[in-house]
Amino acid sequence: MKSTTFKAVFAAATAALLVLTSACGQKGDITGEAHAADGGARTIIVATSGTPAPMTQVNADGTVGGYEIDLLKEADKLIDDYDFKYEQVDFAGITGGLDSGKFQIGANFFNYTPERAQKFVFSKYAHYRDQAAVLTRPGFAQEHPFHSLADLGGYNVPSDSNGSAFQVFVEDYNKLFPNNPIKITYTPADHATRLRQISQGQFDYGYGGRFHQKVYAQDLGVQVDYVPIPDSFATTDAEKQLIKSLRQETYYLFPKTDEGQKISDEVDKALKTLHENGTMQKLSEQYFGYDLTGDDSVWQ
């Protein structure tokens, strides 16, 4: 009887050890320390349009990827409570899906705007940072140099009409400079098409940064000039705010609910860890050729 009891105890102890050992393969907490999830991870739907590449993109196998998506995949490894799944949708459908609760995270090159901040929670840290700039047709800046914000007026630019940061910028610009407004052509064309039109002289300039210039030149042969819009161009608070809206500082969006804030907080912790351990910088270099994640001072 004692032998039978010993065997039973030994079997139970072995089974418990196997369960404990298997837990070591599960996702770690925000510090990277592995532990077992106690109630199972909640599925979180991340919505993206898959453009513009390489910020977000559709891979050859049909899955979504790119810098913002791969960064979230790394963040997901550090968060036990959630399991991220990815869904490709039209850009305009992302914010509507966040509103309705269909999606819990929007990942699509979202810049901060006051209008969006009224409806959504932004991640605390911008995971992509570039100064305010425009992309012009080749030689345009030499022919028509910009010395102030007022110099941007009077020229032809393409813009979508779905609430993008550039649309907000040009419309706010025209309110601030009504005597010499930017001439806006609203178009459903994708970003690559708009840049090609700019390169061919159909428009004078448009939205974009260093990575747009580099990637589209390499992949599509589209030649455009990168023209920074320095902070020194601003002489009033309104102009400073306008330049800030043109900066390419990219965030994730979450529903403006208690649950949305909770998800955002967890993602913020993970992003901070990924910046501290260099993972974020490696992804930025991989996709853009630059470290566009910001120095340590902006991640405090």
Side-chain angles (χ1 to χ4, degrees):
M1 183 66 72
K2 288 182 179 180
S3 176
T4 302
T5 302
F6 173 79
K7 289 179 180 178
V9 172
F10 180 80
T14 302
L17 179 61
L18 288 173
V19 171
L20 180 61
T21 303
S22 67
C24 293
Q26 297 182 9
K27 291 191 292 182
D29 63 14
I30 218 65
T31 65
E33 182 180 342
H35 62 79
D38 55 5
R42 178 190 165 192
T43 297
I44 296 297
I45 305 299
V46 180
T48 182
S49 71
T51 62
M55 187 66 75
T56 68
Q57 64 191 37
V58 180
N59 299 324
D61 62 0
T63 61
V64 292
Y67 172 69
E68 284 199 276
I69 302 304
D70 284 3
L71 184 58
L72 275 179
K73 289 177 180 177
E74 292 297 324
D76 191 21
K77 295 175 184 178
L78 301 177
I79 304 172
D80 271 343
D81 292 342
Y82 306 121
D83 184 19
F84 294 169
K85 304 296 181 185
Y86 302 88
E87 187 171 329
Q88 185 186 0
V89 299
D90 290 339
F91 179 82
I94 297 174
T95 52
L98 290 170
D99 261 340
S100 69
K102 182 178 181 181
F103 310 129
Q104 288 75 52
I105 302 177
N108 217 105
F109 204 8
F110 285 112
N111 286 20
Y112 177 90
T113 68
E115 293 82 1
R116 286 178 182 157
Q118 290 178 4
K119 298 185 66 176
F120 304 105
V121 174
F122 280 76
S123 47
K124 180 178 179 181
Y125 307 101
H127 48 270
Y128 171 90
R129 300 168 183 269
D130 199 1
Q131 73 178 99
V134 295
L135 296 179
T136 74
R137 60 178 172 80
F140 174 83
Q142 287 71 42
E143 301 165 11
H144 307 280
F146 296 146
H147 299 294
S148 68
L149 269 181
D151 293 335
L152 273 68
Y155 297 109
N156 298 300
V157 306
S159 173
D160 55 39
S161 57
N162 56 18
S164 69
F166 189 64
Q167 178 192 350
V168 173
F169 168 79
V170 292
E171 291 176 354
D172 286 350
Y173 180 96
N174 287 350
K175 294 173 186 175
L176 199 60
F177 297 96
N179 295 328
N180 189 31
I182 295 170
K183 301 171 185 176
I184 311 167
T185 296
Y186 294 101
T187 170
D190 61 22
H191 195 65
T193 300
R194 294 199 297 270
L195 287 186
R196 183 178 285 109
Q197 291 170 335
I198 291 168
S199 74
Q200 295 169 345
Q202 296 179 48
F203 298 101
D204 296 311
Y205 66 84
Y207 183 68
R210 283 181 290 178
F211 95 81
H212 290 104
Q213 181 194 36
K214 177 180 179 180
V215 169
Y216 287 109
Q218 289 177 340
D219 295 349
L220 302 174
V222 174
Q223 300 298 322
V224 289
D225 291 343
Y226 171 78
V227 181
I229 307 299
D231 289 349
S232 60
F233 277 13
T235 58
T236 67
D237 288 344
E239 290 181 2
K240 290 176 183 177
Q241 186 62 40
L242 193 62
I243 287 180
K244 183 178 179 180
S245 73
L246 189 59
R247 286 186 201 142
Q248 295 187 29
E249 295 182 349
T250 303
Y251 303 82
Y252 296 115
L253 287 188
F254 307 84
K256 200 161 193 178
T257 62
D258 290 344
E259 182 66 17
Q261 185 64 63
K262 181 181 177 183
I263 297 169
S264 177
D265 291 343
E266 290 298 316
V267 170
D268 286 338
K269 293 175 187 176
L271 292 177
K272 192 169 188 296
T273 296
L274 293 171
H275 190 269
E276 289 172 348
N277 67 24
T279 300
M280 186 182 295
Q281 293 89 325
K282 289 178 182 177
L283 285 173
S284 178
E285 291 277 358
Q286 173 188 332
Y287 280 105
F288 309 125
Y290 309 95
D291 176 8
L292 292 167
T293 66
D295 59 31
D296 292 343
S297 66
V298 299
W299 284 89
Q300 301 304 315

Short mmCIF file of all heavy atoms in Angstrom, two decimals, residues 118-160:
data_model
loop_
_atom_site.label_atom_id
_atom_site.label_comp_id
_atom_site.label_asym_id
_atom_site.label_seq_id
_atom_site.Cartn_x
_atom_site.Cartn_y
_atom_site.Cartn_z
N GLN A 118 -10.22 63.98 -29.70
CA GLN A 118 -11.55 64.10 -29.08
C GLN A 118 -12.29 62.77 -29.08
O GLN A 118 -13.15 62.53 -28.24
CB GLN A 118 -12.37 65.15 -29.82
CG GLN A 118 -11.89 66.58 -29.62
CD GLN A 118 -12.71 67.59 -30.41
OE1 GLN A 118 -13.69 67.23 -31.06
NE2 GLN A 118 -12.31 68.85 -30.36
N LYS A 119 -11.92 61.89 -30.01
CA LYS A 119 -12.67 60.64 -30.18
C LYS A 119 -11.89 59.39 -29.79
O LYS A 119 -12.50 58.34 -29.54
CB LYS A 119 -13.10 60.50 -31.65
CG LYS A 119 -14.03 61.60 -32.13
CD LYS A 119 -14.50 61.33 -33.55
CE LYS A 119 -15.39 60.09 -33.60
NZ LYS A 119 -15.94 59.88 -34.96
N PHE A 120 -10.53 59.49 -29.77
CA PHE A 120 -9.73 58.29 -29.58
C PHE A 120 -8.61 58.52 -28.56
O PHE A 120 -8.21 59.65 -28.30
CB PHE A 120 -9.10 57.84 -30.91
CG PHE A 120 -10.11 57.61 -31.99
CD1 PHE A 120 -10.26 58.52 -33.03
CD2 PHE A 120 -10.93 56.49 -31.97
CE1 PHE A 120 -11.20 58.33 -34.03
CE2 PHE A 120 -11.88 56.28 -32.96
CZ PHE A 120 -12.01 57.20 -33.99
N VAL A 121 -8.12 57.44 -28.01
CA VAL A 121 -6.94 57.45 -27.16
C VAL A 121 -5.72 57.23 -28.05
O VAL A 121 -5.71 56.30 -28.87
CB VAL A 121 -7.01 56.35 -26.09
CG1 VAL A 121 -5.70 56.26 -25.31
CG2 VAL A 121 -8.18 56.59 -25.15
N PHE A 122 -4.73 58.08 -27.92
CA PHE A 122 -3.46 57.91 -28.62
C PHE A 122 -2.46 57.19 -27.71
O PHE A 122 -2.46 57.39 -26.50
CB PHE A 122 -2.86 59.26 -29.01
CG PHE A 122 -3.45 59.88 -30.24
CD1 PHE A 122 -4.70 60.50 -30.20
CD2 PHE A 122 -2.78 59.85 -31.44
CE1 PHE A 122 -5.26 61.07 -31.32
CE2 PHE A 122 -3.32 60.42 -32.58
CZ PHE A 122 -4.56 61.03 -32.52
N SER A 123 -1.60 56.37 -28.31
CA SER A 123 -0.50 55.81 -27.52
C SER A 123 0.33 56.97 -26.98
O SER A 123 0.39 58.05 -27.56
CB SER A 123 0.36 54.87 -28.37
OG SER A 123 0.68 55.45 -29.63
N LYS A 124 0.94 56.75 -25.83
CA LYS A 124 1.67 57.82 -25.14
C LYS A 124 2.88 58.30 -25.93
O LYS A 124 3.22 59.48 -25.94
CB LYS A 124 2.10 57.33 -23.76
CG LYS A 124 2.86 58.36 -22.94
CD LYS A 124 3.22 57.81 -21.56
CE LYS A 124 3.99 58.83 -20.74
NZ LYS A 124 4.36 58.28 -19.40
N TYR A 125 3.54 57.37 -26.59
CA TYR A 125 4.79 57.67 -27.29
C TYR A 125 4.61 57.54 -28.80
O TYR A 125 3.97 56.59 -29.27
CB TYR A 125 5.90 56.71 -26.86
CG TYR A 125 6.10 56.62 -25.37
CD1 TYR A 125 5.57 55.56 -24.64
CD2 TYR A 125 6.82 57.60 -24.68
CE1 TYR A 125 5.76 55.46 -23.27
CE2 TYR A 125 7.01 57.51 -23.32
CZ TYR A 125 6.48 56.44 -22.61
OH TYR A 125 6.66 56.36 -21.25
N ALA A 126 5.18 58.47 -29.55
CA ALA A 126 5.23 58.32 -31.00
C ALA A 126 6.33 57.32 -31.33
O ALA A 126 7.48 57.49 -30.91
CB ALA A 126 5.53 59.66 -31.66
N HIS A 127 5.99 56.27 -32.07
CA HIS A 127 6.99 55.23 -32.38
C HIS A 127 7.69 55.50 -33.70
O HIS A 127 8.56 54.74 -34.12
CB HIS A 127 6.33 53.85 -32.40
CG HIS A 127 5.07 53.78 -33.19
ND1 HIS A 127 3.83 54.04 -32.64
CD2 HIS A 127 4.83 53.49 -34.50
CE1 HIS A 127 2.90 53.90 -33.57
NE2 HIS A 127 3.48 53.58 -34.70
N TYR A 128 7.31 56.59 -34.37
CA TYR A 128 8.00 57.05 -35.58
C TYR A 128 7.99 58.56 -35.54
O TYR A 128 6.95 59.18 -35.31
CB TYR A 128 7.26 56.55 -36.83
CG TYR A 128 7.76 57.14 -38.13
CD1 TYR A 128 8.78 56.54 -38.85
CD2 TYR A 128 7.22 58.33 -38.63
CE1 TYR A 128 9.25 57.09 -40.04
CE2 TYR A 128 7.67 58.89 -39.81
CZ TYR A 128 8.68 58.26 -40.51
OH TYR A 128 9.15 58.82 -41.68
N ARG A 129 9.16 59.18 -35.76
CA ARG A 129 9.27 60.63 -35.64
C ARG A 129 10.11 61.19 -36.78
O ARG A 129 11.24 60.75 -37.00
CB ARG A 129 9.94 61.02 -34.31
CG ARG A 129 9.18 60.54 -33.07
CD ARG A 129 10.03 60.70 -31.82
NE ARG A 129 9.34 60.17 -30.65
CZ ARG A 129 8.55 60.87 -29.85
NH1 ARG A 129 8.37 62.15 -30.10
NH2 ARG A 129 7.96 60.32 -28.82
N ASP A 130 9.55 62.15 -37.49
CA ASP A 130 10.31 62.88 -38.50
C ASP A 130 9.81 64.32 -38.48
O ASP A 130 8.68 64.58 -38.09
CB ASP A 130 10.11 62.26 -39.88
CG ASP A 130 11.20 62.66 -40.87
OD1 ASP A 130 12.13 63.39 -40.47
OD2 ASP A 130 11.13 62.22 -42.04
N GLN A 131 10.67 65.24 -38.89
CA GLN A 131 10.29 66.64 -38.82
C GLN A 131 9.26 66.97 -39.88
O GLN A 131 9.01 66.19 -40.82
CB GLN A 131 11.52 67.53 -38.98
CG GLN A 131 12.07 67.58 -40.40
CD GLN A 131 13.26 68.51 -40.51
OE1 GLN A 131 14.41 68.08 -40.51
NE2 GLN A 131 12.98 69.80 -40.61
N ALA A 132 8.63 68.13 -39.75
CA ALA A 132 7.67 68.58 -40.74
C ALA A 132 8.37 68.74 -42.08
O ALA A 132 9.49 69.27 -42.16
CB ALA A 132 7.05 69.91 -40.30
N ALA A 133 7.73 68.27 -43.13
CA ALA A 133 8.33 68.33 -44.47
C ALA A 133 7.25 68.11 -45.51
O ALA A 133 6.15 67.64 -45.21
CB ALA A 133 9.43 67.28 -44.61
N VAL A 134 7.58 68.44 -46.75
CA VAL A 134 6.74 68.09 -47.89
C VAL A 134 7.64 67.46 -48.95
O VAL A 134 8.87 67.61 -48.93
CB VAL A 134 6.00 69.32 -48.48
CG1 VAL A 134 5.00 69.87 -47.46
CG2 VAL A 134 6.99 70.40 -48.92
N LEU A 135 7.01 66.75 -49.88
CA LEU A 135 7.71 66.19 -51.03
C LEU A 135 7.26 66.96 -52.26
O LEU A 135 6.06 67.10 -52.52
CB LEU A 135 7.41 64.70 -51.17
CG LEU A 135 7.91 63.82 -50.02
CD1 LEU A 135 7.52 62.36 -50.26
CD2 LEU A 135 9.41 63.94 -49.84
N THR A 136 8.22 67.47 -53.03
CA THR A 136 7.91 68.33 -54.17
C THR A 136 8.34 67.67 -55.48
O THR A 136 9.13 66.72 -55.49
CB THR A 136 8.63 69.68 -54.06
OG1 THR A 136 10.02 69.49 -54.35
CG2 THR A 136 8.47 70.28 -52.67
N ARG A 137 7.82 68.20 -56.56
CA ARG A 137 8.35 67.76 -57.85
C ARG A 137 9.82 68.17 -57.93
O ARG A 137 10.23 69.17 -57.31
CB ARG A 137 7.54 68.37 -59.00
CG ARG A 137 7.51 69.87 -59.06
CD ARG A 137 6.71 70.33 -60.27
NE ARG A 137 6.50 71.78 -60.29
CZ ARG A 137 7.38 72.68 -60.68
NH1 ARG A 137 8.59 72.29 -61.07
NH2 ARG A 137 7.08 73.97 -60.67
N PRO A 138 10.64 67.44 -58.66
CA PRO A 138 12.07 67.73 -58.70
C PRO A 138 12.35 69.17 -59.14
O PRO A 138 11.80 69.65 -60.12
CB PRO A 138 12.60 66.72 -59.73
CG PRO A 138 11.65 65.58 -59.65
CD PRO A 138 10.31 66.20 -59.41
N GLY A 139 13.19 69.85 -58.37
CA GLY A 139 13.59 71.21 -58.71
C GLY A 139 12.64 72.29 -58.23
O GLY A 139 12.97 73.48 -58.32
N PHE A 140 11.48 71.91 -57.71
CA PHE A 140 10.49 72.90 -57.33
C PHE A 140 11.02 73.85 -56.25
O PHE A 140 10.82 75.07 -56.32
CB PHE A 140 9.22 72.21 -56.82
CG PHE A 140 8.19 73.15 -56.26
CD1 PHE A 140 7.30 73.80 -57.09
CD2 PHE A 140 8.11 73.39 -54.89
CE1 PHE A 140 6.34 74.67 -56.58
CE2 PHE A 140 7.17 74.26 -54.38
CZ PHE A 140 6.28 74.91 -55.23
N ALA A 141 11.69 73.30 -55.25
CA ALA A 141 12.16 74.12 -54.13
C ALA A 141 13.24 75.10 -54.57
O ALA A 141 13.41 76.16 -53.95
CB ALA A 141 12.68 73.23 -53.00
N GLN A 142 13.97 74.77 -55.62
CA GLN A 142 14.97 75.71 -56.13
C GLN A 142 14.29 76.85 -56.88
O GLN A 142 14.71 78.01 -56.81
CB GLN A 142 15.96 74.99 -57.06
CG GLN A 142 16.96 74.08 -56.35
CD GLN A 142 16.32 72.83 -55.80
OE1 GLN A 142 15.49 72.21 -56.47
NE2 GLN A 142 16.69 72.45 -54.58
N GLU A 143 13.22 76.51 -57.58
CA GLU A 143 12.48 77.53 -58.33
C GLU A 143 11.62 78.41 -57.41
O GLU A 143 11.45 79.60 -57.65
CB GLU A 143 11.57 76.87 -59.37
CG GLU A 143 12.31 75.99 -60.37
CD GLU A 143 11.35 75.08 -61.13
OE1 GLU A 143 10.11 75.30 -61.02
OE2 GLU A 143 11.82 74.16 -61.82
N HIS A 144 11.08 77.77 -56.38
CA HIS A 144 10.15 78.47 -55.47
C HIS A 144 10.55 78.15 -54.03
O HIS A 144 9.86 77.38 -53.34
CB HIS A 144 8.72 78.02 -55.73
CG HIS A 144 8.28 78.14 -57.15
ND1 HIS A 144 7.88 79.33 -57.71
CD2 HIS A 144 8.21 77.21 -58.13
CE1 HIS A 144 7.55 79.13 -58.98
NE2 HIS A 144 7.75 77.85 -59.25
N PRO A 145 11.62 78.73 -53.55
CA PRO A 145 12.08 78.39 -52.19
C PRO A 145 11.10 78.85 -51.12
O PRO A 145 10.44 79.89 -51.26
CB PRO A 145 13.41 79.14 -52.08
CG PRO A 145 13.32 80.25 -53.09
CD PRO A 145 12.49 79.71 -54.21
N PHE A 146 11.00 78.04 -50.08
CA PHE A 146 10.16 78.36 -48.93
C PHE A 146 11.01 79.06 -47.87
O PHE A 146 12.04 78.54 -47.45
CB PHE A 146 9.55 77.10 -48.32
CG PHE A 146 8.62 76.35 -49.23
CD1 PHE A 146 8.55 74.97 -49.18
CD2 PHE A 146 7.82 77.01 -50.14
CE1 PHE A 146 7.69 74.26 -50.01
CE2 PHE A 146 6.95 76.33 -50.98
CZ PHE A 146 6.90 74.93 -50.91
N HIS A 147 10.56 80.23 -47.44
CA HIS A 147 11.25 80.95 -46.36
C HIS A 147 10.33 81.16 -45.16
O HIS A 147 10.79 81.58 -44.10
CB HIS A 147 11.74 82.31 -46.86
CG HIS A 147 12.72 82.21 -48.00
ND1 HIS A 147 13.98 81.66 -47.84
CD2 HIS A 147 12.60 82.58 -49.30
CE1 HIS A 147 14.61 81.70 -49.01
NE2 HIS A 147 13.80 82.24 -49.90
N SER A 148 9.05 80.87 -45.33
CA SER A 148 8.08 81.02 -44.25
C SER A 148 6.89 80.14 -44.58
O SER A 148 6.75 79.63 -45.71
CB SER A 148 7.63 82.47 -44.10
OG SER A 148 6.86 82.86 -45.23
N LEU A 149 6.00 79.97 -43.63
CA LEU A 149 4.80 79.19 -43.88
C LEU A 149 3.95 79.81 -44.99
O LEU A 149 3.33 79.10 -45.79
CB LEU A 149 3.96 79.07 -42.60
CG LEU A 149 4.22 77.88 -41.70
CD1 LEU A 149 3.29 77.93 -40.49
CD2 LEU A 149 4.02 76.57 -42.46
N ALA A 150 3.93 81.13 -45.04
CA ALA A 150 3.12 81.81 -46.05
C ALA A 150 3.54 81.44 -47.46
O ALA A 150 2.73 81.51 -48.40
CB ALA A 150 3.19 83.31 -45.85
N ASP A 151 4.79 81.01 -47.64
CA ASP A 151 5.29 80.66 -48.97
C ASP A 151 4.70 79.38 -49.51
O ASP A 151 4.83 79.08 -50.70
CB ASP A 151 6.82 80.53 -48.94
CG ASP A 151 7.52 81.85 -48.69
OD1 ASP A 151 6.93 82.90 -49.00
OD2 ASP A 151 8.65 81.83 -48.17
N LEU A 152 4.04 78.58 -48.65
CA LEU A 152 3.45 77.32 -49.12
C LEU A 152 2.14 77.55 -49.87
O LEU A 152 1.65 76.64 -50.56
CB LEU A 152 3.20 76.36 -47.96
CG LEU A 152 4.36 75.46 -47.53
CD1 LEU A 152 5.50 76.26 -46.92
CD2 LEU A 152 3.89 74.40 -46.54
N GLY A 153 1.57 78.72 -49.74
CA GLY A 153 0.28 79.01 -50.35
C GLY A 153 0.38 79.26 -51.85
O GLY A 153 1.44 79.60 -52.38
N GLY A 154 -0.76 79.04 -52.53
CA GLY A 154 -0.84 79.33 -53.96
C GLY A 154 -0.46 78.18 -54.86
O GLY A 154 -0.60 78.29 -56.09
N TYR A 155 -0.03 77.06 -54.29
CA TYR A 155 0.42 75.93 -55.11
C TYR A 155 -0.59 74.79 -55.07
O TYR A 155 -1.45 74.70 -54.19
CB TYR A 155 1.79 75.45 -54.63
CG TYR A 155 2.86 76.50 -54.78
CD1 TYR A 155 3.39 77.14 -53.66
CD2 TYR A 155 3.32 76.87 -56.04
CE1 TYR A 155 4.37 78.11 -53.80
CE2 TYR A 155 4.29 77.86 -56.19
CZ TYR A 155 4.82 78.46 -55.07
OH TYR A 155 5.78 79.45 -55.20
N ASN A 156 -0.47 73.90 -56.05
CA ASN A 156 -1.39 72.78 -56.22
C ASN A 156 -0.90 71.55 -55.47
O ASN A 156 0.25 71.13 -55.65
CB ASN A 156 -1.54 72.43 -57.70
CG ASN A 156 -2.13 73.57 -58.52
OD1 ASN A 156 -3.24 74.01 -58.24
ND2 ASN A 156 -1.40 74.06 -59.51
N VAL A 157 -1.78 70.96 -54.66
CA VAL A 157 -1.42 69.75 -53.92
C VAL A 157 -2.57 68.74 -54.00
O VAL A 157 -3.74 69.12 -54.08
CB VAL A 157 -1.12 70.06 -52.43
CG1 VAL A 157 -0.08 71.16 -52.29
CG2 VAL A 157 -2.38 70.42 -51.67
N PRO A 158 -2.25 67.45 -53.98
CA PRO A 158 -3.29 66.42 -53.89
C PRO A 158 -3.51 66.02 -52.44
O PRO A 158 -2.58 66.02 -51.63
CB PRO A 158 -2.68 65.26 -54.68
CG PRO A 158 -1.21 65.38 -54.40
CD PRO A 158 -0.92 66.86 -54.22
N SER A 159 -4.73 65.66 -52.11
CA SER A 159 -5.03 65.19 -50.76
C SER A 159 -6.19 64.20 -50.81
O SER A 159 -7.08 64.33 -51.67
CB SER A 159 -5.41 66.35 -49.84
OG SER A 159 -5.86 65.89 -48.58
N ASP A 160 -6.16 63.23 -49.94
CA ASP A 160 -7.34 62.40 -49.77
C ASP A 160 -8.38 63.22 -49.01
O ASP A 160 -8.13 64.36 -48.62
CB ASP A 160 -7.02 61.09 -49.05
CG ASP A 160 -6.32 61.31 -47.71
OD1 ASP A 160 -6.70 62.26 -47.00
OD2 ASP A 160 -5.40 60.56 -47.37
#
